[in-house]
């Protein structure tokens, strides 16, 4: 499977995701944001970091870069797209995913391990997880507080477009286990066709027992299924 | 021609920064303070002599980049 990782000035998780993808047998290319065409890609990853120093709004400037025009075209043609952290923020700024990531409710930058529950596993990204499986991921963000209109929120729930929700180690989903104030404890969302996934936690940091755990592996191997 | 653009958060969007600033001012003894909402301000120079056309262009800039219409409102004024 061919993957492309988009690199912006200020990306800082691009190497991590490349290591994870290569370890899990993807043939990966790094693509600089100024490029005007994409190499052959089954999966495009918009990685985490602080593209353009979070100027204006997180992801706003990166969303207008050359390569994003190609990413939007590919996404609309059904290519799999994964936006992690700043990548999620960029995808919402392009309009590929609806909603917006606001400043964390407690105004603090959050860098820690958290738990999420796999709510929807009937999709290309999560089919190797068990439904309601509790996963330990890592978050590192200042703007992860997912907000959208009440109509869209209802649509996300009704159409099962929420793959992950924040919870505690026992799977309890409530206000106390919500680290950043996201609506309905949302940690990630899909578009309608479920070929675009945006998530704040970093699955690429969870692909090796030596440094963390293996909870992120299935997100990538699901795609190889 | 020079314009200002004021960007404010929509009413129903939480503004934790504004809240903290308000709390701090209240702690400093500003007892009559009721509420603060924090926003952004841009000054934009444009090489266009027709005011209506210039405003139209600034409106486009706002909608395409400067403002996220899901959470923000904006107001253009000539300065």
């Amino acid at each position: 499977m061919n993957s492309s990782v988009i690199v912006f000035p200020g990306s800082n998780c691009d190497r991590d995701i490349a290591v994870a993808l290569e370890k899990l047998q993807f043939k990966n290319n790094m693509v600089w944001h100024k490029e005007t065409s994409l190499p052959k890609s089954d999966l495009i990853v918009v990685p985490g970091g602080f593209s353009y120093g979070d100027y204006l709004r997180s992801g706003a400037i990166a969303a207008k870069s050359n390569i994003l025009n190609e990413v939007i075209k590919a996404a609309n043609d059904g290519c799999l797209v994964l936006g992690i952290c700043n990548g999620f923020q960029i995808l919402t700024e392009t309009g590929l995913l609806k909603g917006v990531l606001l400043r964390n409710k407690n105004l603090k930058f959050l860098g820690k391990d958290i738990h999420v529950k796999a709510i929807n596993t009937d999709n290309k990204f999560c089919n190797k997880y068990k439904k309601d499986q509790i996963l330990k991921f890592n978050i590192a963000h200042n703007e992860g507080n997912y907000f959208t209109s009440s109509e869209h929120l209802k649509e996300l729930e009704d159409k099962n477009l929420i793959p992950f929700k924040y919870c505690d180690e026992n799977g309890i989903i409530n206000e106390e286990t919500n680290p950043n104030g996201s609506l309905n404890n949302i940690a990630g969302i899909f578009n309608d066709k479920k070929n675009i996934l945006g998530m704040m936690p970093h699955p690429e940091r969870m692909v090796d027992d030596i440094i963390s755990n293996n909870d992120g592996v299935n997100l990538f191997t699901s795609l190889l299924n | 021609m020079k314009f200002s653009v004021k960007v404010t958060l929509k009413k129903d969007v939480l503004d934790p920064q504004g809240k903290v600033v308000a709390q701090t001012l209240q702690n400093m003894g500003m007892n009559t303070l009721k509420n603060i909402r924090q926003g952004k301000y841009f000054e934009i120079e444009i090489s266009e002599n027709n005011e209506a056309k210039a405003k139209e262009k600034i409106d486009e800039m706002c909608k395409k980049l400067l403002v996220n219409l899901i959470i923000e409102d904006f107001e253009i004024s000539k300065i």
Side-chain angles (χ1 to χ4, degrees):
Chain A
M1 203 168 186
N2 294 295
S3 59
S4 293
V5 173
I6 313 296
V7 186
F8 302 96
S11 294
N12 66 8
C13 302
D14 47 326
R15 296 301 312 157
D16 304 42
I17 183 76
V19 167
L21 288 167
E22 277 157 16
K23 181 180 174 181
L24 300 168
Q25 312 304 317
F26 284 77
K27 201 175 160 294
N28 188 53
N29 283 297
M30 305 303 272
V31 184
W32 184 235
H33 69 111
K34 282 189 175 164
E35 297 290 332
T36 50
S37 66
L38 277 165
K40 187 178 173 298
S41 315
D42 305 297
L43 168 71
I44 301 167
V45 182
V46 188
F50 296 85
S51 57
Y52 296 92
D54 278 349
Y55 287 1
L56 193 59
R57 295 177 306 275
S58 306
I61 308 285
K64 307 296 173 193
S65 59
N66 287 345
I67 199 66
L68 255 292
N69 292 326
E70 300 309 306
V71 174
I72 291 168
K73 272 185 220 156
N76 288 334
D77 287 342
C79 181
L80 297 166
V81 179
L82 170 62
I84 303 168
C85 196
N86 189 219
F88 184 11
Q89 295 162 341
I90 293 168
L91 293 182
T92 59
E93 281 286 346
T94 60
L96 283 175
L97 291 173
K98 287 188 204 162
V100 59
L101 281 313
L102 296 175
R103 190 94 189 261
N104 295 341
K105 198 176 156 195
N106 59 7
L107 291 175
K108 284 188 182 131
F109 179 91
L110 298 169
K112 60 177 184 179
D113 288 348
I114 45 88
H115 292 87
V116 298
K117 192 184 259 189
I119 304 287
N120 174 6
T121 54
D122 182 22
N123 59 72
K124 285 193 172 141
F125 289 89
C126 306
N127 57 63
K128 281 206 160 185
Y129 290 119
K130 294 191 195 90
K131 188 168 163 38
D132 294 334
Q133 190 178 341
I134 298 158
L135 309 163
K136 193 192 220 179
F137 283 157
N138 185 268
I139 53 170
H141 61 246
N142 204 28
E143 284 90 10
N145 178 355
Y146 183 75
F147 179 85
T148 191
S149 66
S150 49
E151 298 82 44
H152 180 233
L153 183 65
K154 189 173 179 306
E155 204 180 303
L156 286 174
E157 292 283 2
D158 291 350
K159 291 187 180 169
N160 223 344
L161 299 175
I162 305 169
F164 302 114
K165 284 190 178 184
Y166 297 111
C167 63
D168 63 9
E169 65 269 29
N170 300 312
I172 309 277
I173 298 170
N174 61 23
E175 193 66 23
E176 279 158 35
T177 60
N178 184 344
N180 52 25
S182 267
L183 288 175
N184 292 16
N185 282 46
I186 286 173
I189 61 160
F190 284 116
N191 64 332
D192 270 2
K193 288 187 198 157
K194 294 188 198 165
N195 65 311
I196 307 172
L197 166 62
M199 59 191 292
M200 289 314 294
H202 289 269
E204 79 279 18
R205 295 186 183 177
M206 300 323 210
V207 293
D208 203 322
D209 267 334
I210 298 170
I211 52 167
S212 50
N213 64 32
N214 278 319
D215 285 359
V217 169
N218 281 348
L219 191 102
F220 302 104
T221 53
S222 287
L223 297 170
L224 301 171
N225 256 359
Chain B
M1 222 176 265
K2 219 171 167 184
F3 291 85
S4 72
V5 174
K6 199 171 80 183
V7 181
T8 50
L9 279 175
K10 284 185 195 287
K11 262 190 196 158
D12 53 346
V13 178
L14 267 177
D15 177 20
Q17 286 189 86
K19 253 189 186 162
V20 168
V21 172
Q23 253 170 27
T24 307
L25 284 169
Q26 277 159 350
N27 292 344
M28 290 162 70
M30 312 288 182
N31 298 323
T32 47
L33 171 65
K34 278 173 79 178
N35 191 23
I36 288 188
R37 304 277 289 167
Q38 190 174 321
K40 283 178 198 157
Y41 176 83
F42 299 89
E43 277 183 8
I44 304 175
E45 257 185 277
I46 182 165
S47 50
E48 170 67 65
N49 297 323
N50 181 313
E51 188 174 336
K53 272 189 187 165
K55 265 195 172 168
E56 216 171 278
K57 203 74 207 162
I58 306 262
D59 187 76
E60 189 187 345
M61 290 177 194
C62 288
K63 287 177 177 160
K64 286 193 171 164
L65 180 67
L66 300 180
V67 181
N68 184 331
L69 295 168
I70 303 170
I71 49 165
E72 293 168 329
D73 291 321
F74 65 97
E75 203 183 292
I76 303 168
S77 319
K78 191 170 182 295
I79 46 176

